[in-house]
Amino acid sequence: MIKENETILTEFILVGLSADPRLQFVLFPLFLCIYVVTVLVNASVIFVYKFSPSLHTPMYFYLANFSFLEICYVSSTVPKMLANLLADRKTISFYGCAVQMYWFLLLGGTECYMLAAMAYDRYHAICHPLSYAVFMNNRVCTQLILGSWLVGAVNSLVHTLLTFKLKFCCNKINHFFCDIPPLLKLACMDTRVNEMVVFIVSGCVIVGSFILTMTSYKQIISTILKIRSRCGRKKAISTCTSHFMVVTLFYGSGIFMYFRPKSSYSMDQDRIIAVMYSVIAPMLNPFIYSLRNGEMKTAVKKLTRKLASTEEL
């Protein structure tokens, strides 16, 4: 029977966030609103950057790319989750599940190193302001962005290939999207190699980028403490606080999810953590960056006035 199930498995059932039909009709409008707000706010950041020459600096170049990444990231899981909340059969095809996992892990890995690149940018802006334009030129910024995508793609490919080479005894995924921990739970063969690869490869991606980020911040904090002017110190801190908040939220939840043995996986707990870093964080990040950023708010006001005057004509 197990061998038969292994050969005919063509789809998975996604349990979702809740099996209660009444709760599902509450969750649908809630997550639909979150998704729409996430896409609109992140798209607005890209729009403001595109049409505001004053923001054409490395810092806002990274913010615009980060917003594009967040739109893709939330779109890799939420639309399917919304469709399944209203569907009678909450299924995803075998290959559809593989594609979803690949894109989710690709975008997550890319975000790790994009956050590290953003920390590197702040390091040069605060620690080496006179040579900032030389170090963070357009070529370097583009290379760091492309490098982040390359790392994410390789990391995702490794995990997706290894996971979908497993034989599954069951097709019921106790989650709202295809991720490594819930799929390892379904395997009817030894998954120690997969767990070891997750620990090593994800360690290189998550912990490696986290160390790079914290190294930049160590230098930043050291430089800030040497600033004698209280106003200058406050301004330097304000440019880094938002980024540090995003880093803490993303890395904290990511490390909790992927650096545990399979025996300690708790799907009910993991679903809540997954919602935090895959749905809530992409919505909060542009608010954290934009609402705390004076230059961004000024650019929004100027662009709004410009659009209003154009409409009057």
Side-chain angles (χ1 to χ4, degrees):
M1 178 64 71
I2 289 176
K3 288 186 176 181
E4 183 182 351
N5 286 342
E6 288 172 2
T7 57
I8 65 172
L9 182 62
T10 59
E11 65 180 17
F12 291 100
I13 299 171
L14 290 167
V15 172
L17 293 173
S18 173
D20 187 345
R22 294 169 297 179
L23 186 57
Q24 289 178 8
F25 282 103
V26 174
L27 292 174
F28 179 82
L30 173 63
F31 281 98
L32 177 62
C33 289
I34 291 174
Y35 179 67
V36 171
V37 169
T38 302
V39 172
L40 289 178
V41 174
N42 280 288
S44 298
V45 173
I46 300 171
F47 180 81
V48 172
Y49 168 78
K50 179 72 175 177
F51 294 100
S52 301
S54 62
L55 299 183
H56 290 178
T57 63
M59 176 181 173
Y60 295 102
F61 172 75
Y62 285 120
L63 283 179
N65 276 276
F66 190 72
S67 290
F68 172 74
L69 177 67
E70 293 291 57
I71 292 172
C72 297
Y73 189 53
V74 75
S75 297
S76 68
T77 58
V78 175
K80 183 61 179 176
M81 179 184 70
L82 291 172
N84 281 343
L85 282 171
L86 298 181
D88 292 328
R89 296 189 72 249
K90 307 176 190 304
T91 60
I92 184 170
S93 70
F94 182 88
Y95 292 108
C97 187
V99 169
Q100 185 184 60
M101 175 185 282
Y102 175 79
W103 279 104
F104 178 77
L105 294 177
L106 183 154
L107 295 163
T110 302
E111 185 163 337
C112 287
Y113 276 89
M114 199 172 290
L115 287 171
M118 292 166 73
Y120 182 68
D121 170 71
R122 292 298 84 206
Y123 159 72
H124 277 293
I126 293 172
C127 300
H128 305 287
L130 298 179
S131 57
Y132 175 66
V134 177
F135 280 110
M136 301 305 296
N137 55 53
N138 290 336
R139 182 174 62 84
V140 171
C141 292
T142 302
Q143 287 175 343
L144 288 173
I145 293 294
L146 292 177
S148 299
W149 281 95
L150 179 61
V151 170
V154 172
N155 170 67
S156 178
L157 185 63
V158 169
H159 292 308
T160 304
L161 288 177
L162 279 176
T163 301
F164 283 88
K165 280 186 176 180
L166 294 172
K167 305 301 181 183
F168 300 104
C169 298
C170 174
N171 70 338
K172 192 173 184 179
I173 301 175
N174 193 16
H175 213 310
F176 63 93
F177 68 94
C178 296
D179 199 5
I180 299 173
L183 278 166
L184 292 185
K185 278 280 191 180
L186 306 183
C188 50
M189 56 188 293
D190 190 3
T191 61
R192 281 178 293 183
V193 172
N194 296 71
E195 293 178 62
M196 184 175 66
V197 171
V198 168
F199 188 82
I200 294 173
V201 178
S202 295
C204 293
V205 174
I206 298 176
V207 177
S209 59
F210 182 73
I211 290 173
L212 290 174
T213 303
M214 290 299 102
T215 300
S216 295
Y217 270 101
K218 178 179 176 295
Q219 297 297 323
I220 290 170
I221 293 170
S222 178
T223 301
I224 289 174
L225 293 176
K226 294 176 183 177
I227 299 175
R228 294 184 179 181
S229 169
R230 184 177 179 181
C231 181
R233 194 184 303 121
K234 184 178 180 181
K235 183 178 179 180
I237 291 173
S238 67
T239 62
C240 300
T241 304
S242 299
H243 182 259
F244 191 74
M245 290 170 63
V246 173
V247 166
T248 302
L249 178 62
F250 182 76
Y251 282 108
S253 55
I255 289 172
F256 177 81
M257 277 294 293
Y258 297 106
F259 286 83
R260 294 173 298 152
K262 187 176 73 170
S263 58
S264 67
Y265 294 158
S266 170
M267 288 300 110
D268 292 334
Q269 186 181 50
D270 288 358
R271 280 196 293 259
I272 297 172
I273 301 298
V275 167
M276 285 301 299
Y277 70 78
S278 66
V279 181
I280 304 300
M283 180 185 69
L284 294 179
N285 288 345
F287 288 105
I288 293 172
Y289 280 121
S290 303
L291 294 181
R292 295 176 58 86
N293 191 298
E295 291 180 343
M296 180 67 79
K297 287 188 284 187
T298 301
V300 170
K301 291 176 183 177
K302 287 182 179 179
L303 196 58
T304 303
R305 285 197 295 266
K306 185 177 180 180
L307 291 173
S309 62
T310 304
E311 289 179 359
E312 289 177 2
L313 294 175

